[in-house]
Amino acid sequence: MFDKLEDLVARLEELQAQLSDPAVISNQDKFRLLMKEQSDLAPIVDKYLEYKDAKQTIEDSLMMLDEENDEDMREMLKEELNSAKAQVETCEQELKILLLPKDPNDERNVIVEIRAGAGGDEAALFAAELYRMYVHYVESRRWKAELMEVEEIGIGGMKSVTFMVTGNGAYSVLKYESGVHRVQRVPETESGGRIHTSTASVAVLPEADEMDEIDIPEKDIRIDVMRASGNGGQCVNTTDSAVRLTHYPTGIVVYSQTEKSQLQNKAKAFALLKAKLLDIEMQKRHDAEADLRKSQVGTGDRSEKIRTYNFPQGRVTDHRIGLTLYKLDKIMNGDIQEIIDACIAADQTAKLAKMNEQA
């Protein structure tokens, strides 16, 4: 590990020199790639230098203890020594986490799809509540949520809703939300007071970018334009602005009607289609890397039941990591960071254990 870290220190110095070269600065594509590599390496190198400083402090303290006779000074040196030893242990653990293989999609924006599952109208109401939960969470991170497609029912529910989240590292955080979410509560329409169980599925797709080379030949796609339906407001429902794309090879159909402009809806529809095609490729890679998929915390299997929201008891349970929190109201209002942090920690622990097995 330490040989690799020394190589990373040298590489960071090389990057810093390249980034001050006028020829590199004038080449925006190369400059952007090198800046990205520098921002990835800097936290690792900083932590390694902190580790080396702590190791040096240990050596210096031990040397001074051998030569020091004053008891007060010896006590100070022992405290400094113990503090440095603890810092070394902490740095070693943090460096292992920083050196774990990174998901190449972690820094991307995401497209989130929520679909009502079992439970009829109650499932649609729950899907709408999940959508609001995520929008509140996104806003708390100062990210941006942009509606792409929605199919509503008359009582305030949503059969399906798709939205894009724009923000640095959005996929690294929200990917843990993929899976089946279950709600247990007494529906407003239930006169007997019986608790019903309903579900909604959440899919988190990384946004495709120009580097993915997702080619969509014209012969493989049909584009239909039509008048938008539902609650669209002025102009949206009075022009042929809605766009539906049908991708023949996969059978995927996407629809966008949230914008007044046909061009804007077309751009959104293509962004969603590309994300779905990228997701198909990712699923193929996941299936080919079964061991990696097993070591991950709920980011591979869309049919996995990941979480239960129990309204009578005011609790939320994440089944992947055995976490139960009794603050359902706050969670439904977007306070999900504690759950996400626990998923990230569990994922890192599983990957570290896997790495140690292979070592």
Side-chain angles (χ1 to χ4, degrees):
M1 180 174 83
F2 296 106
D3 287 342
K4 181 178 180 180
L5 286 165
E6 287 293 344
D7 290 341
L8 294 181
V9 172
R11 175 58 182 161
L12 184 60
E13 291 173 354
E14 182 184 335
L15 283 170
Q16 289 167 342
Q18 287 182 329
L19 286 167
S20 61
D21 183 343
V24 172
I25 294 171
S26 63
N27 185 337
Q28 285 302 301
D29 289 339
K30 185 173 183 180
F31 184 77
R32 187 168 61 250
L33 285 172
L34 293 179
M35 282 293 292
K36 174 69 170 59
E37 187 181 355
Q38 179 186 244
S39 68
D40 289 341
L41 285 183
I44 303 172
V45 171
D46 287 347
K47 186 58 61 178
Y48 179 49
L49 295 178
E50 182 184 334
Y51 166 85
K52 290 179 73 174
D53 285 344
K55 289 285 285 185
Q56 188 62 51
T57 299
I58 291 172
E59 289 183 22
D60 293 344
S61 297
L62 287 171
M63 187 182 301
M64 293 172 71
L65 272 169
D66 284 342
E67 300 171 355
E68 185 61 60
N69 295 319
D70 183 84
E71 280 305 314
D72 289 339
M73 279 298 297
R74 287 182 63 82
E75 284 302 314
M76 286 178 60
L77 288 168
K78 286 177 184 178
E79 286 181 17
E80 191 175 66
L81 177 63
N82 290 333
S83 176
K85 285 180 177 179
Q87 189 177 6
V88 164
E89 289 183 15
T90 301
C91 287
E92 283 180 348
Q93 189 65 19
E94 291 178 357
L95 281 168
K96 286 178 182 177
I97 291 171
L98 286 168
L99 288 171
L100 284 174
K102 289 197 173 182
D103 187 328
N105 297 314
D106 273 352
E107 298 306 313
R108 298 193 189 207
N109 301 327
V110 298
I111 292 173
V112 183
E113 285 187 319
I114 304 172
R115 296 189 176 277
D121 287 351
E122 172 65 9
L125 288 168
F126 178 50
E129 290 177 81
L130 286 177
Y131 169 64
R132 287 189 287 272
M133 177 184 81
Y134 289 126
V135 169
H136 287 149
Y137 174 69
V138 166
E139 289 172 347
S140 75
R141 296 286 302 248
R142 302 195 185 283
W143 292 343
K144 179 184 176 185
E146 184 179 2
L147 187 65
M148 298 184 74
E149 182 272 334
V150 61
E151 184 180 356
E152 298 174 298
I153 63 173
I155 59 174
M158 295 175 174
K159 284 187 179 180
S160 67
V161 57
T162 304
F163 60 101
M164 177 178 281
V165 177
T166 306
N168 187 33
Y171 185 74
S172 69
V173 172
L174 290 173
K175 64 184 177 182
Y176 298 100
E177 295 302 298
S178 277
V180 176
H181 296 240
R182 182 176 69 170
V183 62
Q184 295 173 327
R185 63 183 173 190
V186 179
E188 293 180 10
T189 54
E190 171 58 56
S191 58
R194 292 176 299 174
I195 295 174
H196 285 227
T197 298
S198 303
T199 63
S201 64
V202 176
V204 180
L205 316 176
E207 181 190 20
D209 61 24
E210 64 273 8
M211 302 294 287
D212 292 312
E213 298 180 357
I214 294 176
D215 184 35
I216 306 177
E218 286 186 23
K219 64 180 178 62
D220 287 350
I221 199 162
R222 188 178 80 215
I223 304 174
D224 298 310
V225 295
M226 63 204 72
R227 193 156 296 182
S229 60
N231 300 322
Q234 286 187 324
C235 299
V236 173
N237 295 333
T238 58
T239 60
D240 290 335
S241 59
V243 175
R244 182 177 63 209
L245 303 180
T246 303
H247 188 246
Y248 294 126
T250 60
I252 293 172
V253 178
V254 297
Y255 183 75
S256 179
Q257 66 170 26
T258 56
E259 301 294 336
K260 296 176 183 178
S261 160
Q262 184 186 120
L263 284 174
Q264 289 175 311
N265 281 323
K266 187 177 178 181
K268 281 189 173 184
F270 267 100
L272 178 54
L273 177 59
K274 286 182 178 180
K276 284 177 174 286
L277 293 175
L278 175 63
D279 185 57
I280 289 172
E281 290 302 313
M282 288 172 57
Q283 288 297 314
K284 287 178 183 176
R285 289 198 293 271
H286 276 153
D287 293 341
E289 300 168 359
D291 289 341
L292 172 63
R293 185 170 170 181
K294 287 176 184 175
S295 75
Q296 292 177 333
V297 176
T299 59
D301 190 351
R302 296 282 157 71
S303 63
E304 179 185 9
K305 182 185 71 180
I306 66 167
R307 198 172 298 151
T308 295
Y309 305 74
N310 185 294
F311 276 70
Q313 297 179 20
R315 65 173 167 83
V316 175
T317 299
D318 195 292
H319 304 291
R320 299 163 295 179
I321 55 177
L323 174 68
T324 296
L325 299 173
Y326 288 89
K327 56 174 190 177
L328 185 141
D329 289 347
K330 289 184 177 180
I331 287 169
M332 296 308 297
N333 200 38
D335 186 7
I336 60 173
Q337 191 63 54
E338 185 175 353
I339 299 174
I340 290 171
D341 286 344
C343 287
I344 292 171
D347 196 16
Q348 290 174 343
T349 300
K351 287 175 179 174
L352 282 171
K354 189 75 177 175
M355 188 171 69
N356 291 335
E357 284 176 15
Q358 295 170 345

